[in-house]
mmCIF file of all heavy atoms in Angstrom:
data_model
loop_
_atom_site.group_PDB
_atom_site.id
_atom_site.type_symbol
_atom_site.label_atom_id
_atom_site.label_comp_id
_atom_site.label_asym_id
_atom_site.label_seq_id
_atom_site.Cartn_x
_atom_site.Cartn_y
_atom_site.Cartn_z
ATOM 1 N N PRO E 196 -98.417 64.414 35.716
ATOM 2 C CA PRO E 196 -99.184 64.939 34.555
ATOM 3 C C PRO E 196 -100.278 63.988 34.080
ATOM 4 O O PRO E 196 -101.257 64.505 33.464
ATOM 5 C CB PRO E 196 -98.041 65.073 33.499
ATOM 6 C CG PRO E 196 -96.933 64.233 33.978
ATOM 7 C CD PRO E 196 -97.009 64.238 35.455
ATOM 8 N N ALA E 197 -100.175 62.719 34.351
ATOM 9 C CA ALA E 197 -101.207 61.770 33.973
ATOM 10 C C ALA E 197 -102.119 61.443 35.150
ATOM 11 O O ALA E 197 -102.968 60.513 35.085
ATOM 12 C CB ALA E 197 -100.601 60.491 33.435
ATOM 13 N N ARG E 198 -101.953 62.228 36.238
ATOM 14 C CA ARG E 198 -102.749 62.073 37.453
ATOM 15 C C ARG E 198 -102.668 60.693 38.033
ATOM 16 O O ARG E 198 -103.642 60.144 38.592
ATOM 17 C CB ARG E 198 -104.217 62.491 37.221
ATOM 18 C CG ARG E 198 -104.388 63.927 36.762
ATOM 19 C CD ARG E 198 -105.892 64.304 36.639
ATOM 20 N NE ARG E 198 -106.016 65.652 36.212
ATOM 21 C CZ ARG E 198 -106.018 66.731 37.018
ATOM 22 N NH1 ARG E 198 -105.910 66.545 38.306
ATOM 23 N NH2 ARG E 198 -106.180 67.966 36.545
ATOM 24 N N LEU E 199 -101.492 60.106 37.953
ATOM 25 C CA LEU E 199 -101.293 58.760 38.558
ATOM 26 C C LEU E 199 -101.408 59.007 40.093
ATOM 27 O O LEU E 199 -101.006 60.034 40.600
ATOM 28 C CB LEU E 199 -99.949 58.137 38.217
ATOM 29 C CG LEU E 199 -99.725 57.740 36.786
ATOM 30 C CD1 LEU E 199 -98.343 57.165 36.637
ATOM 31 C CD2 LEU E 199 -100.784 56.752 36.314
ATOM 32 N N PRO E 200 -101.941 58.002 40.818
ATOM 33 C CA PRO E 200 -102.043 58.184 42.295
ATOM 34 C C PRO E 200 -100.632 58.220 42.972
ATOM 35 O O PRO E 200 -99.774 57.477 42.559
ATOM 36 C CB PRO E 200 -102.807 56.912 42.734
ATOM 37 C CG PRO E 200 -102.608 55.949 41.638
ATOM 38 C CD PRO E 200 -102.485 56.735 40.394
ATOM 39 N N GLY E 201 -100.490 59.125 43.905
ATOM 40 C CA GLY E 201 -99.235 59.248 44.590
ATOM 41 C C GLY E 201 -98.788 60.708 44.624
ATOM 42 O O GLY E 201 -99.411 61.568 44.039
ATOM 43 N N HIS E 202 -97.704 60.914 45.325
ATOM 44 C CA HIS E 202 -97.252 62.272 45.585
ATOM 45 C C HIS E 202 -96.009 62.566 44.723
ATOM 46 O O HIS E 202 -94.872 62.286 45.054
ATOM 47 C CB HIS E 202 -96.869 62.425 47.059
ATOM 48 C CG HIS E 202 -96.397 63.797 47.450
ATOM 49 N ND1 HIS E 202 -96.971 64.940 46.948
ATOM 50 C CD2 HIS E 202 -95.391 64.166 48.291
ATOM 51 C CE1 HIS E 202 -96.350 65.974 47.466
ATOM 52 N NE2 HIS E 202 -95.373 65.583 48.251
ATOM 53 N N GLY E 203 -96.304 63.129 43.524
ATOM 54 C CA GLY E 203 -95.211 63.591 42.654
ATOM 55 C C GLY E 203 -94.396 62.459 42.042
ATOM 56 O O GLY E 203 -94.742 61.330 41.997
ATOM 57 N N ARG E 204 -93.196 62.877 41.550
ATOM 58 C CA ARG E 204 -92.281 61.936 40.879
ATOM 59 C C ARG E 204 -90.902 62.031 41.538
ATOM 60 O O ARG E 204 -90.579 63.039 42.128
ATOM 61 C CB ARG E 204 -92.171 62.278 39.388
ATOM 62 C CG ARG E 204 -93.480 61.985 38.627
ATOM 63 C CD ARG E 204 -93.357 62.330 37.189
ATOM 64 N NE ARG E 204 -93.489 63.717 36.921
ATOM 65 C CZ ARG E 204 -93.483 64.281 35.682
ATOM 66 N NH1 ARG E 204 -93.265 63.492 34.607
ATOM 67 N NH2 ARG E 204 -93.675 65.563 35.522
ATOM 68 N N LEU E 205 -90.137 60.949 41.368
ATOM 69 C CA LEU E 205 -88.805 60.873 41.979
ATOM 70 C C LEU E 205 -87.787 60.640 40.947
ATOM 71 O O LEU E 205 -87.816 59.622 40.243
ATOM 72 C CB LEU E 205 -88.775 59.754 43.044
ATOM 73 C CG LEU E 205 -87.500 59.624 43.793
ATOM 74 C CD1 LEU E 205 -87.428 60.706 44.894
ATOM 75 C CD2 LEU E 205 -87.350 58.240 44.464
ATOM 76 N N PHE E 206 -86.781 61.571 40.810
ATOM 77 C CA PHE E 206 -85.600 61.273 40.033
ATOM 78 C C PHE E 206 -84.653 60.546 40.977
ATOM 79 O O PHE E 206 -84.092 61.079 41.926
ATOM 80 C CB PHE E 206 -84.962 62.576 39.573
ATOM 81 C CG PHE E 206 -85.805 63.395 38.692
ATOM 82 C CD1 PHE E 206 -86.520 64.511 39.149
ATOM 83 C CD2 PHE E 206 -85.937 63.100 37.352
ATOM 84 C CE1 PHE E 206 -87.321 65.231 38.350
ATOM 85 C CE2 PHE E 206 -86.744 63.844 36.488
ATOM 86 C CZ PHE E 206 -87.463 64.932 37.005
ATOM 87 N N SER E 207 -84.491 59.237 40.695
ATOM 88 C CA SER E 207 -83.816 58.329 41.705
ATOM 89 C C SER E 207 -82.360 58.061 41.457
ATOM 90 O O SER E 207 -81.751 57.322 42.263
ATOM 91 C CB SER E 207 -84.601 56.984 41.768
ATOM 92 O OG SER E 207 -84.482 56.303 40.535
ATOM 93 N N GLY E 208 -81.782 58.612 40.390
ATOM 94 C CA GLY E 208 -80.340 58.336 40.126
ATOM 95 C C GLY E 208 -80.131 56.810 40.012
ATOM 96 O O GLY E 208 -80.832 56.113 39.337
ATOM 97 N N ASP E 209 -79.164 56.302 40.789
ATOM 98 C CA ASP E 209 -78.893 54.877 40.803
ATOM 99 C C ASP E 209 -79.490 54.247 42.103
ATOM 100 O O ASP E 209 -79.333 53.028 42.339
ATOM 101 C CB ASP E 209 -77.381 54.586 40.779
ATOM 102 C CG ASP E 209 -76.840 54.698 39.375
ATOM 103 O OD1 ASP E 209 -77.593 54.986 38.457
ATOM 104 O OD2 ASP E 209 -75.651 54.511 39.236
ATOM 105 N N HIS E 210 -80.102 55.054 42.996
ATOM 106 C CA HIS E 210 -80.567 54.520 44.265
ATOM 107 C C HIS E 210 -81.637 53.470 44.086
ATOM 108 O O HIS E 210 -81.646 52.461 44.712
ATOM 109 C CB HIS E 210 -81.024 55.630 45.115
ATOM 110 C CG HIS E 210 -81.442 55.286 46.498
ATOM 111 N ND1 HIS E 210 -80.508 54.858 47.446
ATOM 112 C CD2 HIS E 210 -82.687 55.198 47.084
ATOM 113 C CE1 HIS E 210 -81.239 54.540 48.560
ATOM 114 N NE2 HIS E 210 -82.496 54.719 48.343
ATOM 115 N N LEU E 211 -82.566 53.722 43.198
ATOM 116 C CA LEU E 211 -83.739 52.857 42.998
ATOM 117 C C LEU E 211 -83.901 52.629 41.513
ATOM 118 O O LEU E 211 -84.328 53.569 40.793
ATOM 119 C CB LEU E 211 -85.009 53.514 43.608
ATOM 120 C CG LEU E 211 -86.243 52.583 43.791
ATOM 121 C CD1 LEU E 211 -85.946 51.461 44.678
ATOM 122 C CD2 LEU E 211 -87.408 53.442 44.325
ATOM 123 N N LEU E 212 -83.619 51.452 41.070
ATOM 124 C CA LEU E 212 -83.714 51.044 39.650
ATOM 125 C C LEU E 212 -84.726 49.895 39.533
ATOM 126 O O LEU E 212 -84.816 49.062 40.457
ATOM 127 C CB LEU E 212 -82.355 50.615 39.157
ATOM 128 C CG LEU E 212 -81.195 51.654 39.272
ATOM 129 C CD1 LEU E 212 -79.865 51.043 38.905
ATOM 130 C CD2 LEU E 212 -81.460 52.832 38.357
ATOM 131 N N PRO E 213 -85.417 49.795 38.445
ATOM 132 C CA PRO E 213 -86.489 48.817 38.319
ATOM 133 C C PRO E 213 -86.057 47.395 38.260
ATOM 134 O O PRO E 213 -86.769 46.471 38.680
ATOM 135 C CB PRO E 213 -87.227 49.205 37.058
ATOM 136 C CG PRO E 213 -86.176 49.913 36.225
ATOM 137 C CD PRO E 213 -85.362 50.670 37.238
ATOM 138 N N GLY E 214 -84.862 47.065 37.765
ATOM 139 C CA GLY E 214 -84.429 45.670 37.581
ATOM 140 C C GLY E 214 -83.006 45.376 37.972
ATOM 141 O O GLY E 214 -82.484 44.315 37.692
ATOM 142 N N ILE E 215 -82.358 46.322 38.639
ATOM 143 C CA ILE E 215 -80.982 46.169 39.019
ATOM 144 C C ILE E 215 -80.860 46.580 40.477
ATOM 145 O O ILE E 215 -81.437 47.563 40.921
ATOM 146 C CB ILE E 215 -80.002 47.062 38.166
ATOM 147 C CG1 ILE E 215 -80.192 46.735 36.686
ATOM 148 C CG2 ILE E 215 -78.573 46.990 38.640
ATOM 149 C CD1 ILE E 215 -79.455 47.734 35.779
ATOM 150 N N SER E 216 -80.001 45.840 41.245
ATOM 151 C CA SER E 216 -79.633 46.287 42.557
ATOM 152 C C SER E 216 -78.292 47.023 42.417
ATOM 153 O O SER E 216 -77.292 46.425 41.989
ATOM 154 C CB SER E 216 -79.429 45.036 43.509
ATOM 155 O OG SER E 216 -78.947 45.468 44.753
ATOM 156 N N PRO E 217 -78.221 48.289 42.802
ATOM 157 C CA PRO E 217 -76.984 49.053 42.511
ATOM 158 C C PRO E 217 -75.850 48.518 43.391
ATOM 159 O O PRO E 217 -76.051 47.937 44.432
ATOM 160 C CB PRO E 217 -77.394 50.496 42.955
ATOM 161 C CG PRO E 217 -78.551 50.291 43.817
ATOM 162 C CD PRO E 217 -79.276 49.130 43.333
ATOM 163 N N HIS E 218 -74.623 48.762 42.881
ATOM 164 C CA HIS E 218 -73.414 48.396 43.613
ATOM 165 C C HIS E 218 -73.318 49.102 44.935
ATOM 166 O O HIS E 218 -73.484 50.366 44.984
ATOM 167 C CB HIS E 218 -72.199 48.705 42.765
ATOM 168 C CG HIS E 218 -70.949 48.642 43.554
ATOM 169 N ND1 HIS E 218 -70.396 47.451 44.051
ATOM 170 C CD2 HIS E 218 -70.022 49.611 43.893
ATOM 171 C CE1 HIS E 218 -69.302 47.737 44.733
ATOM 172 N NE2 HIS E 218 -69.053 49.038 44.601
ATOM 173 N N ILE E 219 -73.160 48.363 46.010
ATOM 174 C CA ILE E 219 -72.935 48.977 47.327
ATOM 175 C C ILE E 219 -71.537 48.530 47.788
ATOM 176 O O ILE E 219 -71.394 47.337 48.248
ATOM 177 C CB ILE E 219 -73.985 48.574 48.362
ATOM 178 C CG1 ILE E 219 -75.412 48.819 47.804
ATOM 179 C CG2 ILE E 219 -73.731 49.323 49.656
ATOM 180 C CD1 ILE E 219 -75.691 50.265 47.506
#
Side-chain angles (χ1 to χ4, degrees):
R198 299 184 182 274
L199 295 181
H202 182 39
R204 291 180 280 181
L205 185 77
F206 298 101
S207 65
D209 281 0
H210 184 71
L211 191 62
L212 302 171
I215 300 171
S216 176
H218 166 67
I219 307 298

